[in-house]
Amino acid sequence: MSGHWGILVSDPWLQNQFTQVELRSLKSQFVSMRRESGRLTVGDLASKMSRLKVVGENLSEKERASYIQDLYENTGEEVDFELFLKVYLKLQTFASSRTGSNAKNSSAFLKAATTTLLHTISESEKASYVAHINNYLAGDEFLKKCLPIDSSTNDLFEIAKDGVLLCKLINVAVPRTIDERAINTKRLLNPWERNENHTLCLNSAKAIGCTVVNIGTQDFIEGRRHLVLGLISQIIKIQLLADLNLKKTPQLVELVNDSEDMEELMSLAPEKILLRWMNFHLKKSDYKKIVTNFSSDVRDAEAYAHLLSVLAPEYTNPSTLAVKNPYERAKLVLEHADKMGCKRYITARDIVEGSPNLNLAFVAHIFQHRNGLSTQAKQSSLLENLLDDTQDSREERAFRLWINSLGNSTYINNVFEDVRNGWVLLETLDKVSPGIVDWKIANKPPIKLPFKKVENCNQVVKIGKQLKFSLVNIAGNDIVQGYKKLILAYLWQLMRCNILQLLKNLRFHSHGKEITDADILQWANSKASSSGSQCRINSFKDKSVSDGIFFLELLSSVQPRAVNWGLVTKGITDQEKMMNATYIISIARKLGCSIFLLPEDITEVNQKMILTLTASIMYWFLKHPLEERTVGSSDSESGSQLETTSNSTLDDSASDSSAEENGSM
């Protein structure tokens, strides 16, 4: 591996400043920036680096431009990757010197494609997350030997090294994500078994919405604390914000007045809905300000005092608003919260210091415990449609998670709303087919003029036709208007194109020929039969797939020790089919397949998702030489032994493809 990264960076000093994953991510960003305008100069960096963490979030463009100008006289000089890294490091040092160790997002939820590189962690956040883990995993049979964790030590990172704790935490956040029968839970795991758990964890984290393009299995083994804590914070955040949508909490319709507001609410990120909920209740009090963030706007604790008085007036202490000292007020607020039965997640010091992650966790927990909304939700036709559209919802979820896994600059929360300006689709197209987007005519958000959105979407449709998508009588304006069926149809063709392109790129197998659905089907049947299986499917909508046996045979044929047949059911009853389907998905993720389907997609035979699952298994098999698939020993219970490389998945390759042209692959 070291030789591989030496090609990217020849300067030994630079090599030592970054992890391999960070280099790969920064390389992808560099290539993307250069492609947008054809060339990249020193003078371009001030604006282009706005998308990078710490540098972009703690320095204004004017500050970055001034600093760069002081360092480099010739701003017209073309930037190569090594110069890009040097400028980045200098700006980062400048940013951290101005903001101190509490730089904005120093332990953020990793919504960007690169890490902070400050490698600092917040002890307050660590203590809060440890308390969460101790509470929610207290009854776990396997983990009881190491719980409760002492937050004053670094035990959390040692315990996380075998991957078990993180897998269990994902299941707390989103139940049934991981079939725990697939986790290697021997008391002493060998390196391959640990790697399997880490791979299962990372692919499952992506499948619930975490951004992990900057984390590899090696980071867990080496105990990189800022990355481990960043992933834990994302998982906990997903758990705490799980109810902040109209499906889980229909009462949220109380926050809107008409269907237009409803559509806006549906498009908001959970954090934004939480802020809207908070302001909805604050309007009932004497508080006159609008809370726009979970940091500076709540540091004086006044908003909290008013919010809790509205939600639980029986515990109101008149002294809370009377005291002048924000720290003392924060302590009284937490006393109020305790009387309501809310776990704190936060200390008074965290409130006055404006910790965004912990304030968000605190407010989310209050919402879960007592949201103060009417139990009789007012109905609307839009809400009824939303709750009825199960199939569209499942596909939207799969496409959203897939897009977010690619490491685009924009994180999407609702496909139907977030693709309407065309920018996310252009970014995704560029990941799937690097260089295909004409960035000179693309309009970057925020886009206020409707015709600019149409221009972006017209290019999206044009590129789709270049890629031979079926787009009869479709115009860019149809995407801008948010026609769901059309958007889903386009995204399916885009995801399928990505899979087929990745398979085609394995030239030793395809010899550069186009790969078709029929090729994938033929490979799957041939592979399954080669290990003595009698199972065969006629198409990706073959109803016999629903019992899961074919996929278990296929997984067993590509990795003989992957499946523990003692755990497999006959797949006759609905419950047995569901157990097999859950096991299949976890085993595939444990191999290294990055997949976003649900067990129901297998039991109900969703043709599109069945194709993606089969293609993902095929891609993994063809990408890994025989020796990688057979090295090492396996857990006798799980019977699973896999690769020793870091998290090689479909979307990682998609992210890396932009770097391929520069010799990094």
Side-chain angles (χ1 to χ4, degrees):
M1 277 308 257
S2 59
H4 171 78
W5 291 106
I7 296 171
L8 274 180
V9 180
S10 58
D11 185 330
W13 180 82
L14 276 176
Q15 287 179 17
N16 291 330
Q17 303 308 306
F18 302 92
T19 67
Q20 293 178 357
V21 176
E22 288 163 350
L23 269 180
R24 182 178 66 184
S25 185
L26 284 167
K27 179 72 173 185
S28 180
Q29 292 273 7
F30 167 73
V31 171
S32 178
M33 291 177 194
R34 191 172 60 181
R35 188 185 301 117
E36 286 171 13
S37 51
R39 64 194 294 266
L40 189 65
T41 66
V42 171
D44 296 328
L45 294 178
S47 61
K48 298 286 188 186
M49 284 190 169
S50 62
R51 67 188 70 172
L52 301 180
K53 292 182 83 65
V54 179
V55 168
E57 296 176 353
N58 293 290
L59 295 173
S60 67
E61 185 174 334
K62 188 175 180 182
E63 288 170 330
R64 290 192 298 271
S66 174
Y67 188 74
I68 290 172
Q69 207 160 12
D70 289 343
L71 290 173
Y72 302 96
E73 290 182 9
N74 182 11
T75 55
E77 179 186 352
E78 190 154 356
V79 177
D80 62 14
F81 186 47
E82 292 198 1
L83 179 56
F84 174 81
L85 293 176
K86 288 173 183 174
V87 174
Y88 178 56
L89 285 172
K90 286 177 180 177
L91 281 172
Q92 189 183 66
T93 303
F94 176 50
S96 57
S97 68
R98 291 178 71 255
T99 56
S101 59
N102 288 323
K104 192 198 301 182
N105 288 325
S106 64
S107 183
F109 289 128
L110 301 181
K111 283 291 176 69
T114 54
T115 59
T116 65
L117 302 180
L118 288 179
H119 296 179
T120 58
I121 65 169
S122 159
E123 289 298 324
S124 272
E125 285 188 30
K126 185 180 77 171
S128 180
Y129 302 152
V130 164
H132 179 97
I133 289 167
N134 287 339
N135 178 57
Y136 282 95
L137 290 174
D140 187 88
E141 192 63 28
F142 180 80
L143 293 173
K144 65 182 181 183
K145 64 179 172 54
C146 49
L147 294 181
I149 300 169
D150 183 351
S151 63
S152 66
T153 69
N154 284 322
D155 288 354
L156 170 64
F157 307 108
E158 287 301 313
I159 294 166
K161 281 184 177 181
D162 66 7
V164 177
L165 182 142
L166 293 173
C167 286
K168 301 267 190 180
L169 193 61
I170 286 170
N171 269 357
V172 169
V174 183
R176 292 175 56 233
T177 298
I178 296 175
D179 187 329
E180 297 201 2
R181 296 174 297 174
I183 305 172
N184 295 327
T185 54
K186 285 195 315 189
R187 288 301 172 194
L188 216 55
L189 298 177
N190 65 38
W192 296 281
E193 290 161 344
R194 274 204 312 271
N195 188 76
E196 288 178 342
N197 282 350
H198 298 149
T199 304
L200 174 60
C201 165
L202 289 173
N203 282 319
S204 300
K206 280 189 282 189
I208 66 169
C210 296
T211 303
V212 299
V213 291
N214 59 336
I215 308 175
T217 58
Q218 193 65 26
D219 295 313
F220 294 115
I221 294 164
E222 294 174 3
R224 293 186 181 276
R225 297 185 305 159
H226 64 297
L227 292 176
V228 174
L229 197 69
L231 180 58
I232 289 171
S233 69
Q234 287 191 81
I235 296 168
I236 292 174
K237 176 188 176 187
I238 285 167
Q239 178 186 342
L240 292 174
L241 298 180
D243 293 340
L244 278 149
N245 59 74
L246 287 165
K247 285 191 175 181
K248 291 283 186 69
T249 312
Q251 296 89 345
L252 284 167
V253 296
E254 200 174 334
L255 306 186
V256 301
N257 297 317
D258 53 38
S259 61
E260 194 172 311
D261 285 345
M262 176 88 78
E263 287 189 19
E264 183 190 350
L265 186 69
M266 287 165 57
S267 71
L268 291 178
E271 302 96 308
K272 298 293 185 185
I273 296 176
L274 194 61
L275 284 170
R276 181 175 282 206
W277 166 80
M278 190 173 176
N279 286 312
F280 172 79
H281 284 304
L282 287 174
K283 285 179 183 176
K284 301 173 186 176
S285 70
D286 295 330
Y287 194 72
K288 302 303 179 188
K289 300 174 188 174
I290 301 293
V291 177
T292 62
N293 59 63
F294 292 106
S295 183
S296 57
D297 286 3
V298 294
R299 289 172 69 167
D300 60 8
E302 284 188 24
Y304 286 152
H306 285 286
L307 176 67
L308 298 187
S309 291
V310 170
L311 295 174
E314 66 272 26
Y315 301 124
T316 299
N317 181 343
S319 304
T320 306
L321 287 168
V323 297
K324 301 298 182 187
N325 185 309
Y327 180 74
E328 294 302 319
R329 186 181 303 119
K331 288 202 292 188
L332 292 171
V333 161
L334 292 179
E335 285 178 15
H336 192 156
D338 272 348
K339 290 174 184 175
M340 291 168 62
C342 293
K343 296 182 185 67
R344 295 187 177 184
Y345 282 102
I346 202 167
T347 64
R349 180 63 56 201
D350 297 324
I351 293 176
V352 297
E353 289 181 355
S355 170
N357 290 352
L358 297 183
N359 276 296
L360 173 66
F362 176 58
V363 179
H365 189 75
I366 293 170
F367 176 87
Q368 282 186 336
H369 188 78
R370 189 181 294 198
N371 64 37
L373 299 174
S374 169
T375 53
Q376 298 295 318
K378 57 184 179 183
Q379 293 298 310
S380 76
S381 58
L382 193 63
L383 182 58
E384 288 165 8
N385 290 339
L386 173 73
L387 298 176
D388 289 342
D389 224 346
T390 307
Q391 185 59 43
D392 281 1
S393 175
R394 284 225 302 264
E395 289 195 7
E396 185 276 337
R397 171 195 170 278
F399 296 141
R400 168 167 40 86
L401 294 170
W402 170 64
I403 290 170
N404 284 335
S405 77
L406 298 176
N408 292 336
S409 65
T410 307
Y411 187 93
I412 64 172
N413 296 286
N414 182 307
V415 162
F416 301 128
E417 294 299 322
D418 295 346
V419 304
R420 288 171 63 179
N421 65 14
W423 183 261
V424 169
L425 291 174
L426 289 173
E427 281 196 305
T428 306
L429 283 161
D430 195 51
K431 293 284 187 183
V432 172
S433 185
I436 202 166
V437 176
D438 185 350
W439 292 108
K440 292 176 184 175
I441 61 170
N443 302 295
K444 189 174 182 179
I447 307 170
K448 293 185 178 176
L449 298 173
F451 79 90
K452 295 285 187 184
K453 298 177 184 179
V454 174
E455 285 178 354
N456 279 354
C457 291
N458 281 341
Q459 187 178 181
V460 166
V461 172
K462 181 182 175 184
I463 294 171
K465 290 176 179 176
Q466 280 178 244
L467 295 172
K468 299 180 181 176
F469 293 179
S470 175
L471 300 172
V472 181
N473 297 323
I474 292 174
N477 192 51
D478 296 324
I479 297 174
V480 177
Q481 294 301 317
Y483 295 137
K484 290 186 178 182
K485 296 293 184 186
L486 183 154
I487 290 169
L488 290 176
Y490 190 97
L491 286 173
W492 161 240
Q493 293 181 84
L494 184 53
M495 180 188 263
R496 178 177 169 276
C497 174
N498 180 47
I499 295 166
L500 297 180
Q501 188 63 40
L502 288 168
L503 288 169
K504 179 187 173 184
N505 287 346
L506 295 174
R507 295 183 183 88
F508 63 86
H509 172 75
S510 69
H511 306 293
K513 293 178 183 176
E514 297 295 331
I515 298 288
T516 65
D517 296 4
D519 293 328
I520 298 169
L521 184 67
Q522 182 183 4
W523 172 85
N525 280 323
S526 173
K527 195 67 200 157
S529 65
S530 70
S531 59
S533 170
Q534 301 300 310
C535 292
R536 181 179 179 82
I537 59 172
N538 297 316
S539 70
F540 294 115
K541 53 184 178 183
D542 192 321
K543 295 299 181 185
S544 68
V545 167
S546 66
D547 64 10
I549 303 300
F550 175 79
F551 278 114
L552 289 163
E553 294 277 14
L554 180 60
L555 287 163
S556 185
S557 70
V558 300
Q559 176 49 268
R561 290 183 291 271
V563 178
N564 180 352
W565 288 98
L567 301 175
V568 175
T569 74
K570 292 180 180 179
I572 296 172
T573 67
D574 289 346
Q575 184 181 4
E576 287 178 344
K577 288 178 179 180
M578 186 61 71
M579 287 176 70
N580 283 351
T582 307
Y583 189 50
I584 287 164
I585 291 171
S586 290
I587 290 297
R589 286 178 179 149
K590 188 175 175 181
L591 276 175
C593 297
S594 185
I595 48 178
F596 303 99
L597 75 168
L598 292 169
E600 291 83 356
D601 291 318
I602 297 175
T603 60
E604 296 171 16
V605 194
N606 180 325
Q607 181 181 359
K608 297 172 185 175
M609 296 300 121
I610 295 295
L611 170 59
T612 62
L613 174 59
T614 313
S616 297
I617 297 169
M618 179 181 179
Y619 181 75
W620 179 86
F621 175 79
L622 296 176
K623 193 174 181 185
H624 295 84
L626 179 63
E627 58 269 21
E628 279 189 28
R629 301 197 303 269
T630 56
V631 165
S633 59
S634 66
D635 182 339
S636 59
E637 291 182 9
S638 72
S640 180
Q641 157 47 43
L642 275 300
E643 60 189 306
T644 57
T645 55
S646 263
N647 197 29
S648 298
T649 64
L650 278 175
D651 59 291
D652 284 340
S653 299
S655 298
D656 292 344
S657 61
S658 60
E660 189 170 8
E661 66 195 54
N662 295 288
S664 63
M665 285 295 290

